[in-house]
């Protein structure tokens, strides 16, 4: 795809730097990497990662900066047993250990993977995930039934931005690169009052690029472009000696194009006359009040809200009128013009209160911490979906609202002789109401419960083993706009997942190296499966619905390792192994035939995920980072047997750092690997009799650029 003469001067400079084998010297001595205690902030008690009896990945700020990550997409391939579905302009649909959604074209929001930014619940709306000024990314694998309930059947993604500081800190960053990449970022933090009781932090980022596609029909190179703005504001107020208020506000406006599909699978030269869009504008906030004035307990109130306007649309014929008119359909010029657009308006309001014991409030002779809480969530969503086919329009207006109420509790006990026991449970009631312009109406309600039991044992000062059983749940739901032949699939039941896990967290070489290993088995009952049928009478349309499979079983392992080999060199890596299989499940194809998936692997569930990285900082200020990541093949869909190809990607970053400024040359996907992130298998060519064919959307190709960063106090 790329030729030497097509490179910009920036690109040529980066290539030269990345292929240079030696590092020069200077006079600046940055602080060397040191082992630190990583705290999991998504947990009730914000525990140390090494002490938590669960499989959790944490990507801290240093790694985010070392790898030059701009968006969550840039780090997700380094997470074991984690995958994503590329049916949108940015990563939005995630799978953890083979469980998660691949798309959401219609129906009520019902995520398997929770997605939270600074305590603001954005599950199912994961694309607005800038990495700038972020403290860390946390990925919790397995059901989080006690802490998060219905939206965390498979696990949770939690993004935490940096908190306000008691001293002034400021910074700015400029990034330029191929594909007309331009990113402008800045932050400011410090006290707002002389007393130091009111602190602030503000961060802004504007990211633009063309999107790696050339629309040959329109003569444009930005129809798949990215135009993304993210802002965050944090305030911390020490109201009294016993009361702290943390306010987090965010606004994100992603105005992206979506022109990623081609009929001939070339992947990057499109022919659409009406390129799609993928937009999301979200304004949200959270308020956390922490009262610690009582001797025996601490009270936390956590309030949040988010309002999101979304617009996802695409040119479904993937071409233009002239292209189709030049083809023959039963002896006549083809006429095929199809577009699909969905406008969404979602609002969520949530409130949580929880009481947790202090050291003086422990029970059972001071051996046990306790926690109890209540939670409420109100979600409303209006959708306007419009399909246009050869001048004919079909519009569906839908309204949905749901209320979740939950109570939860947890006990954490020290049993003696290095043993610790954690037991938690959550009871949740969900009531919902749906209606649309096609006269479909549903009012499902249900009671659900989840929880965990975890036993851990300290084997030595640097070795902790654990065994964990967790039960997660996902609410049932309904299918709208189904034909009479599928009337028995109007509703589907709640799904339950039991996760059994063994783990070992270790320190080696006097703490210079750590490993986290987990082995798991997942038992999914009444598994919810997204099925689709291409309508044989209207081939441009699909019948989409969710149904329950009998069961499925996933098992595998994760390994994460970090090693500070020297004061200047850090090595790290991850390895995920995953086996998945359907239980008893079969579906009907578009011709009414029965397709049996019993025993087949689940979609977007690669058997192998892996990553490795190395970061070197010289005592003289020079810096280098090299990472690689990859996946084995996986099925693209539960509705067909098409598969991806295995792939491996290499990234590199070299630069020079001082205490106040730094400069880097970087390259992503250095060897220009062409890899699929989403695939469909259906008929989309009328001149070929709508015959089924494999279509693939590819990930980002090679990109090269420079980054300049300044920080000062």
């Amino acid at each position: 795809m790329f030729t030497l003469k097509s490179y910009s001067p920036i690109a040529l400079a980066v290539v030269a730097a990345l292929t240079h084998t030696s590092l020069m010297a200077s006079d600046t001595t940055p602080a060397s990497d040191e082992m630190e205690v990583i705290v999991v902030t998504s947990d009730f008690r914000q525990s140390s990662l090494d002490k938590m009896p669960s499989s959790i990945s944490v990507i801290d700020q240093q790694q985010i900066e070392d790898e030059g990550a701009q968006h969550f997409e840039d780090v997700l391939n380094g997470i074991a047993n984690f995958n994503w579905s590329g049916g949108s302009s940015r990563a939005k649909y995630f799978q953890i250990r083979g469980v998660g959604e691949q798309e959401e074209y219609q129906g009520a929001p019902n995520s398997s993977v929770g997605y939270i930014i600074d305590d603001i619940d954005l599950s199912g709306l994961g694309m607005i995930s800038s990495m700038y000024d972020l403290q860390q990314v946390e990925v919790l694998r397995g059901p989080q039934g006690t802490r998060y309930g219905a939206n965390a059947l498979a696990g949770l993604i939690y993004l935490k931005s940096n908190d306000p500081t008691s001293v002034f800190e400021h910074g700015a960053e400029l990034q330029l690169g191929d594909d007309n990449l331009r990113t402008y970022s800045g932050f400011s933090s410090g006290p707002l009052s002389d007393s130091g009781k009111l602190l602030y932090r503000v961060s802004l980022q504007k990211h633009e690029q063309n999107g790696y596609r050339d629309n040959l029909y329109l003569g444009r190179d930005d129809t798949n472009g990215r135009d993304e703005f993210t802002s965050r504001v944090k305030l911390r107020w020490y109201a009294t000696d016993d009361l702290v208020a943390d306010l987090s506000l965010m606004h994100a406006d992603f105005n992206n194009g979506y022109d990623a599909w081609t009929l001939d699978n070339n992947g990057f030269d499109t022919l659409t006359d009406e390129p799609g869009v993928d937009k999301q504008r979200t304004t949200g906030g959270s308020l956390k009040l922490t009262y610690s004035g009582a001797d025996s307990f601490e009270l936390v109130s956590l309030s949040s809200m988010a309002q999101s306007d979304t617009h996802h649309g695409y040119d479904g014929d993937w071409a233009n009128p002239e292209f189709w008119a030049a083809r023959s359909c039963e002896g006549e010029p083809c006429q095929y013009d199809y577009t699909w657009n969905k406008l969404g308006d979602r609002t969520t309001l949530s409130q949580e209160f929880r009481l947790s014991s202090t050291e003086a409030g422990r029970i059972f002779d001071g051996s046990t911490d306790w926690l109890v809480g209540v939670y409420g969530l109100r979600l409303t969503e209006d959708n306007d979906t419009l399909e246009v086919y050869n001048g004919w329009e079909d519009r569906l207006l839908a309204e949905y609202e749901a209320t979740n109420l939950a109570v939860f509790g947890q006990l954490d006990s020290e049993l003696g002789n290095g043993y610790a026991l954690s037991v938690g449970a959550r009871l949740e009631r969900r009531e919902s109401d749906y209606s649309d312009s096609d006269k479909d109406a549903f009012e499902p309600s249900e009671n659900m419960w989840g929880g965990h039991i975890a036993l851990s044992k300290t084997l030595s000062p640097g070795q902790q083993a654990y065994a964990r059983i967790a039960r997660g749940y996902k609410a049932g739901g309904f299918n709208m706009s189904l034909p009479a032949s599928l009337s028995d699939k109007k509703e589907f039941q709640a799904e339950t997942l039991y996760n059994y896990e063994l783990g070992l967290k270790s320190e080696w070489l006097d703490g210079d190296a750590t490993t986290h290993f987990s082995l798991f088995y997942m038992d999914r009952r009444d598994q919810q499966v997204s099925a689709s049928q291409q309508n044989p009478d209207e081939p441009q349309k699909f019948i989409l619905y969710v149904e329950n499979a009998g069961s499925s079983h996933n098992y595998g392992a994760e390994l994460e390792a970090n090693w500070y080999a020297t004061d200047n060199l850090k090595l790290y890596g991850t390895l995920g192994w995953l086996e998945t299989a359907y239980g008893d499940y079969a579906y009907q194809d578009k011709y009414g035939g029965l397709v049996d998936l019993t025993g087949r692997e689940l979609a977007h569930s690669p058997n192998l995920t892996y990553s490795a990285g190395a970061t070197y900082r010289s005592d003289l200020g020079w810096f280098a980072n090299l990472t690689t990541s990859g996946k084995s093949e996986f099925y693209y869909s539960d509705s067909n047997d098409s598969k991806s190809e295995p792939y491996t990607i290499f990234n590199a970053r070299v630069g020079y750092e001082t205490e106040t400024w730094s400069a880097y040359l970087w390259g992503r996907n250095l060897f220009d690997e062409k890899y699929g992130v989403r695939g469909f298998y259906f008929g989309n060519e009328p001149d070929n009799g709508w015959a089924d064919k494999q279509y693939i959307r590819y990930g980002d190709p090679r990109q090269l650029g420079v980054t300049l960063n300044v920080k000062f106090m």
Side-chain angles (χ1 to χ4, degrees), residues 105 258-263 271-277 312-320 324 336-341 386-390 534 539-542 680 682-686 690 695:
Y105 291 110
Y258 185 57
D259 190 20
W261 296 89
T262 59
L263 291 164
L271 296 172
T272 55
D273 61 318
E274 298 184 68
V277 297
H312 184 66
Y314 56 86
D315 188 335
D317 60 87
W318 298 347
N320 55 78
W324 291 116
Y336 184 24
D337 184 16
Y338 176 67
T339 58
W340 185 94
N341 280 278
L386 176 64
E387 297 177 86
V388 180
Y389 175 61
N390 291 345
Q534 189 170 9
Q540 83 286 351
K541 298 186 69 175
F542 283 81
F680 294 124
F682 70 106
N684 198 37
E685 300 176 36
W690 302 101
Y695 299 105

Side-chain angles (χ1 to χ4, degrees), residues 371-612:
L371 179 144
V372 294
V374 296
Y375 171 83
L377 170 70
R378 178 71 169 175
L379 183 151
T380 61
E381 180 168 306
D382 297 335
N383 288 315
D384 180 356
T385 305
L386 176 64
E387 297 177 86
V388 180
Y389 175 61
N390 291 345
W392 165 83
E393 294 186 359
D394 183 16
R395 168 166 264 142
L396 180 69
L397 303 175
E399 297 179 352
Y400 175 76
E401 58 184 36
T403 301
N404 291 46
L405 298 174
V407 295
F408 55 86
Q410 183 169 307
L411 297 175
D412 297 291
S413 301
E414 297 293 338
L415 304 180
N417 296 321
Y419 286 96
L421 179 67
S422 177
V423 179
R426 186 184 189 98
L427 302 177
E428 188 162 351
R429 170 74 176 176
R430 182 175 188 177
E431 297 182 351
S432 58
D433 186 1
Y434 172 89
S435 62
D436 64 33
S437 56
D438 279 354
K439 309 304 181 184
D440 270 328
F442 304 90
E443 295 183 353
S445 61
E446 56 194 321
N447 298 318
M448 301 168 285
W449 71 273
H452 74 275
I453 300 175
L455 178 66
S456 59
K457 165 67 172 174
T458 300
L459 305 177
S460 69
Q463 304 276 336
Q464 176 173 294
Y466 69 88
R468 182 183 183 91
I469 301 174
R471 186 186 197 270
Y473 53 88
K474 182 181 179 182
F478 45 84
N479 297 302
M480 67 289 297
S481 305
L482 292 183
S485 60
L486 295 174
S487 59
D488 61 327
K489 301 187 184 300
K490 281 285 189 179
E491 298 190 30
F492 54 91
Q493 304 303 309
E495 177 180 345
T496 303
L497 190 154
Y498 289 89
N499 185 82
Y500 306 90
E501 187 170 303
L502 299 174
L504 179 64
K505 298 187 176 183
S506 306
E507 291 185 0
W508 312 92
L509 304 176
D510 296 324
D512 287 338
T514 62
T515 57
H516 293 173
F517 174 76
S518 59
L519 186 68
F520 65 90
Y521 179 85
M522 303 171 73
D523 178 10
R524 299 178 69 180
R525 302 181 182 181
D526 295 318
Q527 177 189 347
Q528 294 175 12
V529 180
S530 296
S532 66
Q533 295 182 18
Q534 189 170 9
N535 191 328
D537 298 322
E538 300 176 278
Q540 83 286 351
K541 298 186 69 175
F542 283 81
I543 302 166
L544 306 174
Y545 58 96
V546 177
E547 61 179 334
N548 295 104
S551 64
S552 71
H553 302 93
N554 303 358
Y555 62 90
E558 291 111 14
L559 174 64
E560 298 186 349
N562 290 275
W563 179 29
Y564 288 84
T566 70
D567 290 340
N568 305 102
L569 177 64
K570 178 186 176 182
L571 305 175
Y572 55 99
T574 69
L575 179 63
W577 164 56
L578 177 65
E579 298 289 341
T580 65
Y582 276 108
D584 183 12
Y585 176 62
Y587 69 93
Q588 287 185 335
D589 63 21
K590 63 182 178 180
Y591 303 110
L594 192 66
V595 179
D596 189 356
L597 290 184
T598 303
R600 204 208 76 170
E601 293 179 346
L602 306 182
H604 279 264
S605 303
N607 296 128
L608 190 65
T609 55
Y610 53 90
S611 70

Side-chain angles (χ1 to χ4, degrees), residues 39-44 46 56 138 140 147-148 156 158:
V39 175
V40 179
T41 58
S42 55
D43 182 57
F44 282 133
Q46 300 195 356
I56 303 173
E138 303 171 12
L140 287 66
R147 179 67 181 91
Y148 289 100
L156 177 79
Y158 188 91

Side-chain angles (χ1 to χ4, degrees), residues 186-456:
F187 80 91
S188 178
S189 180
L192 281 174
S193 65
D194 293 337
S195 65
K197 291 186 175 183
L198 182 60
L199 313 176
Y200 81 95
R201 192 177 192 98
V202 177
S203 64
L204 305 171
Q205 184 176 79
K206 177 69 170 178
H207 174 77
E208 298 174 337
Q209 63 182 116
N210 288 351
Y212 308 105
R213 300 298 189 277
D214 291 317
N215 188 306
L216 303 183
Y217 179 73
L218 297 177
R220 292 171 53 190
D221 63 359
D222 62 351
T223 54
N224 196 54
R226 297 165 181 166
D227 182 358
E228 303 171 344
F229 173 76
T230 304
S231 62
R232 300 189 185 102
V233 177
K234 280 190 165 185
L235 296 174
R236 173 168 290 173
W237 180 34
Y238 295 95
T240 70
D241 291 340
D242 303 321
L243 179 63
V244 180
D246 285 292
L247 175 66
S248 297
L249 302 173
M250 70 170 297
H251 176 73
D253 188 359
F254 279 38
N255 185 10
N256 294 349
Y258 185 57
D259 190 20
W261 296 89
T262 59
L263 291 164
D264 62 358
N265 280 325
N266 77 77
F268 298 97
D269 294 326
T270 66
L271 296 172
T272 55
D273 61 318
E274 298 184 68
V277 297
D278 194 23
K279 302 180 181 180
Q280 180 176 332
R281 177 179 294 174
T282 294
T283 300
S286 67
L287 175 62
K288 183 178 181 180
L289 303 175
T290 305
Y291 175 73
S292 56
D295 290 335
S296 59
F297 66 85
E298 179 179 84
L299 172 64
V300 173
S301 169
L302 184 57
S303 311
S304 73
M305 66 78 61
Q307 193 279 323
S308 298
D309 294 321
T310 60
H311 180 190
H312 184 66
Y314 56 86
D315 188 335
D317 60 87
W318 298 347
N320 55 78
E322 289 85 350
F323 176 91
W324 291 116
R327 268 102 180 126
S328 175
C329 293
E330 298 181 353
E332 299 289 336
C334 293
Q335 182 184 3
Y336 184 24
D337 184 16
Y338 176 67
T339 58
W340 185 94
N341 280 278
K342 178 182 177 182
L343 299 174
D345 180 359
R346 181 186 299 185
T347 301
T348 58
L349 296 169
S350 69
Q351 176 64 52
E352 179 175 292
F353 295 103
R354 60 178 186 258
L355 288 171
S356 58
S357 61
T358 62
E359 184 173 353
R362 290 177 175 176
I363 57 177
F364 304 138
D365 293 328
S367 66
T368 302
D369 282 309
W370 54 267
L371 179 144
V372 294
V374 296
Y375 171 83
L377 170 70
R378 178 71 169 175
L379 183 151
T380 61
E381 180 168 306
D382 297 335
N383 288 315
D384 180 356
T385 305
L386 176 64
E387 297 177 86
V388 180
Y389 175 61
N390 291 345
W392 165 83
E393 294 186 359
D394 183 16
R395 168 166 264 142
L396 180 69
L397 303 175
E399 297 179 352
Y400 175 76
E401 58 184 36
T403 301
N404 291 46
L405 298 174
V407 295
F408 55 86
Q410 183 169 307
L411 297 175
D412 297 291
S413 301
E414 297 293 338
L415 304 180
N417 296 321
Y419 286 96
L421 179 67
S422 177
V423 179
R426 186 184 189 98
L427 302 177
E428 188 162 351
R429 170 74 176 176
R430 182 175 188 177
E431 297 182 351
S432 58
D433 186 1
Y434 172 89
S435 62
D436 64 33
S437 56
D438 279 354
K439 309 304 181 184
D440 270 328
F442 304 90
E443 295 183 353
S445 61
E446 56 194 321
N447 298 318
M448 301 168 285
W449 71 273
H452 74 275
I453 300 175
L455 178 66
S456 59

